[in-house]
């Protein structure tokens, strides 16, 4: 078969068509849901925190951070990022060891699958 007749692998076509990496495509809906459910809704469990969006990261790891409201430039309490060819989403930070941690993990796991709803209040 001539090379001109071969098609590109599906992943390459999807990335080229949208102009976004898999990491960014996977991370955007999670970040949108987190902001909407945890911050825009006025959820009391997140009143002491601020949301720092870093989806336009040039590191290839789009992410968002949860930081203390009183110290926006301070050390993140939660980092949620996507990376790799598959755009795998991971979360880490001391917030996961706090009472709200299990809810955060459950929300992120649900949003990774494409769900958009908000979870139970902490």
């Amino acid at each position: 078969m001539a090379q001109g007749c071969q098609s590109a692998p599906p992943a390459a076509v999807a990335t080229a068509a949208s102009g976004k990496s898999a990491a960014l495509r996977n991370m955007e809906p999670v970040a949108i849901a987190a902001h909407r459910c945890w911050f825009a809704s006025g959820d009391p469990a997140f009143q002491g925190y601020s949301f720092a969006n870093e989806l336009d990261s040039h590191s290839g790891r789009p992410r968002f951070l949860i930081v203390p409201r009183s110290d926006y430039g301070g050390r993140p309490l939660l980092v949620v990022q996507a990376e790799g060819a598959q755009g795998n989403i991971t979360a880490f930070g001391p917030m996961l060891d706090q009472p709200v941690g299990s809810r955060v993990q459950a929300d992120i796991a649900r949003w990774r699958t494409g769900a958009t709803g908000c979870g139970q209040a902490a």
Side-chain angles (χ1 to χ4, degrees), residues 27 31 34-35 38-39 49-56 62-68 71-74 76-80:
M27 195 62 214
H35 185 269
W38 297 342
F39 293 92
Y49 306 109
S50 292
F51 182 90
N53 181 351
E54 296 184 354
L55 293 180
D56 62 351
R63 65 186 188 170
F64 67 84
L65 312 173
I66 305 299
V67 297
D71 188 10
Y72 192 78
L77 301 172
L78 178 70
V79 177
V80 181

Side-chain angles (χ1 to χ4, degrees), residues 56-93:
D56 62 351
S57 167
H58 298 288
S59 69
R61 293 182 183 142
R63 65 186 188 170
F64 67 84
L65 312 173
I66 305 299
V67 297
R69 180 177 296 271
S70 60
D71 188 10
Y72 192 78
R75 187 173 183 193
L77 301 172
L78 178 70
V79 177
V80 181
Q81 69 181 20
E83 64 185 316
Q86 299 299 316
N88 296 322
I89 297 174
T90 57
F92 53 91

